[in-house]
Amino acid sequence: MSFWQFLFVRSSLFYLLYTALTGSAFYLWPALVGYLKTTHVHAGLVGFFLSMVMGVAYWMMPRPGQIRQEGLEGLTYVLLNAGLLLRLVLEPLMLYTGNAELRPALAASGLLQAGAVAVFAYAMSRRVFTKERLFQMAEERKRRQQASS
């Protein structure tokens, strides 16, 4: 497991804890629901679920030809978490203060997360092949090894 894959999985557990704590806080302080409900859901779906899926996919999906994509993994991680953390801080602040000037920063948080999804989709498209193509690539690799020895 690479450093970035490790961070994806560990961060997803942080977001799971955040989701559980905010969900519990809603029963203790019902007034928080209006400020934190959407970030609570976003932390659960994007923070926990999507981070876990991305981390495990980067770790477990086949890497034909030993493709290493640590740069793409890192870029995905940074974009996703920068956007998510920005949202988790700014959205409740905007709802609490009514400061509409925070909307452009919230839009930027969404664009950062969308960028992460685009990078992830590109990286996965470079890793996912049919069974037949994997066998063909293995044969080509074997032929190259035999020719070089």
Side-chain angles (χ1 to χ4, degrees), residues 117-135:
V117 170
V119 171
F120 177 75
Y122 170 75
M124 286 299 110
S125 73
R126 308 266 309 157
R127 290 176 169 223
V128 178
F129 299 97
T130 64
K131 177 177 64 173
E132 293 77 20
R133 178 67 180 130
L134 288 173
F135 286 135

Side-chain angles (χ1 to χ4, degrees), residues 34-49:
Y35 305 117
L36 294 175
K37 183 166 73 172
T38 56
T39 56
H40 164 78
V41 171
H42 208 74
L45 292 177
V46 174
F48 170 66
F49 184 73

Side-chain angles (χ1 to χ4, degrees), residues 84-106:
L84 183 56
L85 290 171
L86 198 59
R87 180 175 183 158
L88 294 182
V89 171
L90 292 181
E91 188 169 39
L93 183 62
M94 186 185 78
L95 292 172
Y96 180 75
T97 64
N99 184 354
E101 292 177 8
L102 295 173
R103 284 193 187 281
L106 279 169

Side-chain angles (χ1 to χ4, degrees), residues 13-149:
L13 298 175
F14 164 79
Y15 294 121
L16 178 63
L17 180 60
Y18 172 90
T19 303
L21 291 175
T22 55
S24 298
F26 294 159
Y27 290 104
L28 298 171
W29 301 286
L32 292 177
V33 172
Y35 305 117
L36 294 175
K37 183 166 73 172
T38 56
T39 56
H40 164 78
V41 171
H42 208 74
L45 292 177
V46 174
F48 170 66
F49 184 73
L50 189 58
S51 289
M52 182 67 77
V53 165
M54 287 178 166
V56 171
Y58 272 129
W59 178 37
M60 299 292 292
M61 296 297 283
R63 293 183 297 270
Q66 301 304 312
I67 294 173
R68 296 282 179 213
Q69 297 176 305
E70 292 202 23
L72 293 176
E73 291 173 15
L75 182 58
T76 305
Y77 180 84
V78 169
L79 291 173
L80 186 72
N81 284 279
L84 183 56
L85 290 171
L86 198 59
R87 180 175 183 158
L88 294 182
V89 171
L90 292 181
E91 188 169 39
L93 183 62
M94 186 185 78
L95 292 172
Y96 180 75
T97 64
N99 184 354
E101 292 177 8
L102 295 173
R103 284 193 187 281
L106 279 169
S109 79
L111 291 173
L112 288 167
Q113 291 172 76
V117 170
V119 171
F120 177 75
Y122 170 75
M124 286 299 110
S125 73
R126 308 266 309 157
R127 290 176 169 223
V128 178
F129 299 97
T130 64
K131 177 177 64 173
E132 293 77 20
R133 178 67 180 130
L134 288 173
F135 286 135
Q136 181 184 17
M137 292 169 79
E139 286 298 318
E140 290 168 5
R141 199 168 35 251
K142 189 187 296 184
R143 273 188 244 123
R144 280 194 306 269
Q145 288 173 347
Q146 289 172 349
S148 66
S149 43

